[in-house]
């Protein structure tokens, strides 16, 4: 039986596997090409483990909010009109139970409607009004973005940017609405 030096054996095995798995020739896509996305999914953690640029949790799941540096607020077109969105295009909502710019949504409510949190002054972009932006302190000390008189929230039922499934529904004792650029609820 003939034996080969170890480095040569490893090279031979690597070449065999490369050839058996499609190699780099022909019409096959390069091994490093990522698959085409089938649909939008919230961003996951970046290689440096920093949170995504939304107020959702680092894995993009609803139920918890992560503060965003200088939380961006902008205006986007939707099926219900021009609405406020975050930096990733996710719809922002108001809760009619909130009064005087203070949140009344905690515990189970905040899991279903995660607050839009910031680590610093929120930033108006693309149609949003800087003079309507502020923050309010939550019970845990986190700063929630406020637009006009309304603390802003996400809805756990929205799966991607542009969804407005939380608009005009009643939960946790009051109505929820998408917010217009004027700081008022979208009606109709």
């Amino acid at each position: 039986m003939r034996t080969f030096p170890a480095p040569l054996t490893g090279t031979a095995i690597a070449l065999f596997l490369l050839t058996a798995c499609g190699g780099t020739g022909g019409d096959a896509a390069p091994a490093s090409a990522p698959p085409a996305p089938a649909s939008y999914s919230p961003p996951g953690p970046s290689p440096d483990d920093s949170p995504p640029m939304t107020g959702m949790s680092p894995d993009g799941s609803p139920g918890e909010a992560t503060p965003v540096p200088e939380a961006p607020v902008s205006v986007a077109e939707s099926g219900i009109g021009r609405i406020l969105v975050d930096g990733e295009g996710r719809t922002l909502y108001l809760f009619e139970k909130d009064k005087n710019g203070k949140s009344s949504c905690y515990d189970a409510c905040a899991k279903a409607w995660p607050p839009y949190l910031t680590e610093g002054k929120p930033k108006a972009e693309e149609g949003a009004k800087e003079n309507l932006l502020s923050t309010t302190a939550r019970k845990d000390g986190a700063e929630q973005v406020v637009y006009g008189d309304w603390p802003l929230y996400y809805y756990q039922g929205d799966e991607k940017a542009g969804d407005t499934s939380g608009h005009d529904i009643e939960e946790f004792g009051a109505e929820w609405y998408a917010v217009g650029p004027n700081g008022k609820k979208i009606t109709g």
Side-chain angles (χ1 to χ4, degrees):
M1 180 168 164
R2 187 169 184 197
T3 60
F4 297 98
L8 190 54
T9 304
T11 303
I13 291 171
L15 284 173
F16 171 76
L17 290 174
L18 183 61
T19 305
C21 293
T24 58
D27 296 330
S32 63
S39 63
Y40 173 86
S41 63
S46 64
D48 66 358
D49 291 329
S50 61
M53 292 306 292
T54 69
M56 301 301 284
S57 64
D59 66 358
S61 65
E64 293 183 31
T66 302
V68 177
E70 297 180 349
V73 175
S74 60
V75 176
E77 292 294 332
S78 75
I80 57 173
R82 293 171 43 83
I83 60 171
L84 295 184
V85 296
D86 73 353
E88 300 292 327
R90 296 181 64 102
T91 304
L92 297 169
Y93 297 93
L94 64 80
F95 184 35
E96 286 197 315
K97 194 173 182 181
D98 290 347
K99 300 291 181 217
N100 302 319
K102 298 289 184 193
S103 176
S104 60
C105 181
Y106 291 92
D107 305 318
C109 177
K111 288 192 187 299
W113 297 88
Y116 188 31
L117 303 178
T118 188
E119 291 178 335
K121 185 177 178 185
K123 184 177 178 184
E125 297 180 345
E126 301 176 37
K129 298 177 181 177
E130 187 78 37
N131 65 329
L132 294 180
L133 276 172
S134 62
T135 61
T136 186
R138 294 181 59 78
K139 290 178 186 176
D140 63 3
E143 291 293 318
Q144 184 171 357
V145 178
V146 174
Y147 195 84
D149 292 327
W150 302 106
L152 300 176
Y153 304 86
Y154 295 102
Y155 178 52
Q156 57 88 19
D158 287 349
E159 295 179 6
K160 63 185 182 313
D163 283 356
T164 57
S165 59
H167 178 67
D168 196 13
I169 62 176
E170 185 172 329
E171 285 187 352
F172 299 99
E175 294 281 332
W176 295 85
Y177 292 97
V179 184
N182 61 357
K184 307 222 183 279
K185 68 182 180 183
I186 299 290
T187 57

